[in-house]
Amino acid sequence: MVGSTIEIDLAALRHNFSQVRKLVGQTTAILGVVKSDAYGHGMVAVARELETQGVEYLGVSNCREGVPLRQAGLTTPILLLLGIDEDEIIDVIKHDLTPVLFRGDIAEAISSTALAASTQIPVHVKIDTGMGRLGVPHVEAEKFFELIKSLKGIRVEGLLSHFASADEHDKSFSTQQLERFQRVLNQAKSADLNFRYAHIANSAGIIDLPDSYHQLVRPGIMLYGGPPSQELLHPVPLKPVMTLKTRVLQLKEVAAASPLGYGCTYLTSRPSRIATLPVGYDDGYDRLLSNKGEVLVRNRRAPVVGRVSMCLITVDVTEIPEVRPEDEVVLLGRQGDEEITADDIAAKTDTINYEIFCNFGGNRRKQFLNSSVS
Ligand SMILES: *Cc1c(COP(=O)(O)O)cnc(C)c1O
């Protein structure tokens, strides 16, 4: 008895990748962001599929994600978005990974290890243009460039920044970040720092800010079929990649005024048919969906009634008399003409589609459909 199943439609992933290509053209490189188990979609399988589609770069958080990609045989360049520790420099050389750099002490350590190994390590320097998180503050970029230029074991291959609010309707802060980024790029040029890639565009930038492309773009969520927000100016047709399914484990008739689940938070208002499903918050199905969620069964919507428990939920199928034990139930995705999107769920749990994908998929077993990798 399987609790729930995650299906990953790699044909949908290819479709979404082709949408990115269509927007940015052939001359802009694409870095497919596959961090956090490819937003829960399965890092290795997604990376392989993107490699067949000609992705120029892959992006992961750290060595812990980058090394397994190499071990799985991926040959595409890999950027470590969160940089590295000193004790990971050897792994970076051994597995041909490219760290993002934003700290002088790490820069010095990378350079001296590289020189000791008679090599140079390519890096991408991250500039904070307003996100306030990772990166050399943009006003300190010139000073950082001087340091980098003195370190002969380092070769700057890229310069990047990250948008804070490109997904919002108001693009004024993004425009300011783009201006700061351009100023830093000019400073790099004045400092004779030559590199191949400047990059700042995430999915929202790709969709709404063509001026942000530079030489490389970094799509994440749009590859997985999620719009980066509901406020986009130029939405593109994307196909959801992930489906979460289960089956009806038990079906029962209950009288009016029957309590359901922990805490008896739901009382039936009429004689009801209740389907019990083997899925719960252990599967990433948020407890906040208690008495709020919906599922699809027999191509109809059925409401979650009672609390979400660790491994079970109950849904009211009184209005869908055809339902039988073992019927397929869709918690995320399409069934017939009905669809439940990650955005539908996110709206009910006060979060964003990104977190729904991570919660459902992250490091769980998946079934991959429509692979083009032989
Ligand atoms: C996660 C991430 C992205 C992808 O962002 P999306 O909004 O999912 O497209 C791009 N760049 C960096 C640095 C990231 O960490």
Side-chain angles (χ1 to χ4, degrees):
M1 160 84 242
V2 179
S4 62
T5 316
I6 297 158
E7 286 178 2
I8 301 298
D9 180 359
L10 295 169
L13 178 75
R14 291 195 294 277
H15 167 87
N16 299 331
F17 182 81
S18 73
Q19 292 295 312
V20 179
R21 189 63 88 193
K22 203 163 121 187
L23 283 168
V24 306
Q26 295 294 336
T27 54
T28 306
I30 301 174
L31 177 150
V33 179
V34 296
K35 68 190 180 203
S36 301
D37 199 24
Y39 295 31
H41 291 69
M43 180 181 70
V44 169
V46 166
R48 281 197 179 123
E49 197 66 43
L50 293 175
E51 202 169 81
T52 67
Q53 301 305 296
V55 78
E56 283 88 356
Y57 232 113
L58 293 166
V60 296
S61 287
N62 48 36
C63 273
R64 210 172 352 147
E65 295 177 336
V67 171
L69 281 181
R70 284 287 178 256
Q71 288 168 338
L74 277 292
T75 58
T76 305
I78 296 173
L79 191 64
L80 307 177
L81 296 167
L82 305 188
I84 55 167
D85 293 335
E86 278 190 37
D87 57 9
E88 292 170 325
I89 301 172
I90 295 300
D91 272 345
V92 160
I93 297 175
K94 186 171 157 201
H95 296 285
D96 192 15
L97 305 170
T98 311
V100 163
L101 193 61
F102 41 85
R103 258 171 58 185
D105 58 333
I106 301 285
E108 284 165 357
I110 290 178
S111 183
S112 56
T113 306
L115 290 176
S118 308
T119 185
Q120 270 197 327
I121 297 180
V123 301
H124 288 215
V125 175
K126 183 149 190 186
I127 307 295
D128 178 6
T129 55
M131 177 76 161
R133 212 173 53 172
L134 268 193
V136 177
H138 64 101
V139 291
E140 294 171 24
E142 269 187 306
K143 209 171 74 201
F144 197 76
F145 294 154
E146 271 175 45
L147 168 71
I148 295 293
K149 283 198 59 166
S150 72
L151 301 173
K152 301 302 173 202
I154 283 181
R155 179 171 61 81
V156 177
E157 184 193 64
L159 199 77
L160 71 148
S161 191
H162 194 54
F163 283 126
S165 58
D167 58 327
E168 289 174 15
H169 191 85
D170 180 352
K171 305 294 187 201
S172 52
F173 193 67
S174 299
T175 305
Q176 191 179 3
Q177 285 193 271
L178 277 175
E179 285 166 6
R180 289 172 176 169
F181 191 51
Q182 189 57 55
R183 207 170 308 138
V184 171
L185 290 174
N186 295 343
Q187 290 167 352
K189 203 171 168 194
S190 305
D192 268 335
L193 211 60
N194 295 308
F195 49 88
R196 182 163 180 196
Y197 299 117
H199 47 115
I200 186 169
N202 55 4
S203 295
I206 292 165
I207 293 170
D208 270 354
L209 297 163
D211 288 344
S212 72
Y213 294 172
H214 294 277
Q215 290 79 44
L216 181 145
V217 295
R218 305 190 305 263
I221 194 76
M222 71 184 295
L223 291 177
Y224 308 109
S229 81
Q230 306 294 321
E231 291 186 32
L232 297 172
L233 306 177
H234 312 286
V236 282
L238 300 170
K239 292 185 181 169
V241 176
M242 182 187 291
T243 298
L244 178 67
K245 287 179 175 176
T246 188
R247 292 194 176 275
V248 174
L249 182 60
Q250 192 185 0
L251 204 58
K252 65 180 71 168
E253 311 276 345
V254 302
S258 299
L260 296 173
Y262 282 122
C264 306
T265 62
Y266 187 87
L267 268 189
T268 55
S269 60
R270 57 183 177 180
S272 302
R273 285 180 87 226
I274 302 299
T276 302
L277 313 177
V279 61
Y281 54 80
D282 179 41
D283 303 85
Y285 200 77
D286 202 300
R287 193 163 167 280
L288 292 170
L289 293 163
S290 299
N291 292 308
K292 271 194 190 171
E294 280 186 327
V295 304
L296 306 178
V297 58
R298 298 262 168 177
N299 302 334
R300 309 261 307 270
R301 305 180 91 89
V304 172
V305 285
R307 287 239 174 101
V308 172
S309 21
M310 193 179 293
C311 308
L312 292 169
I313 59 173
T314 38
V315 299
D316 185 342
V317 293
T318 312
E319 317 251 340
I320 320 172
E322 322 86 89
V323 173
R324 295 290 174 268
E326 299 296 328
D327 274 359
E328 179 192 270
V329 180
V330 169
L331 301 119
L332 169 71
R334 183 172 275 285
Q335 192 186 58
D337 293 333
E338 292 286 345
E339 184 174 15
I340 294 173
T341 67
D343 286 282
D344 294 337
I345 298 170
K348 291 180 178 171
T349 58
D350 195 20
T351 184
I352 51 177
N353 53 10
Y354 295 69
E355 190 182 5
I356 302 300
F357 292 139
C358 286
N359 286 349
F360 285 176
N363 300 307
R364 294 173 208 281
R365 262 219 349 238
K366 290 128 194 149
Q367 286 181 9
F368 294 98
L369 312 178
N370 304 314
S371 172
S372 70
V373 183
S374 45

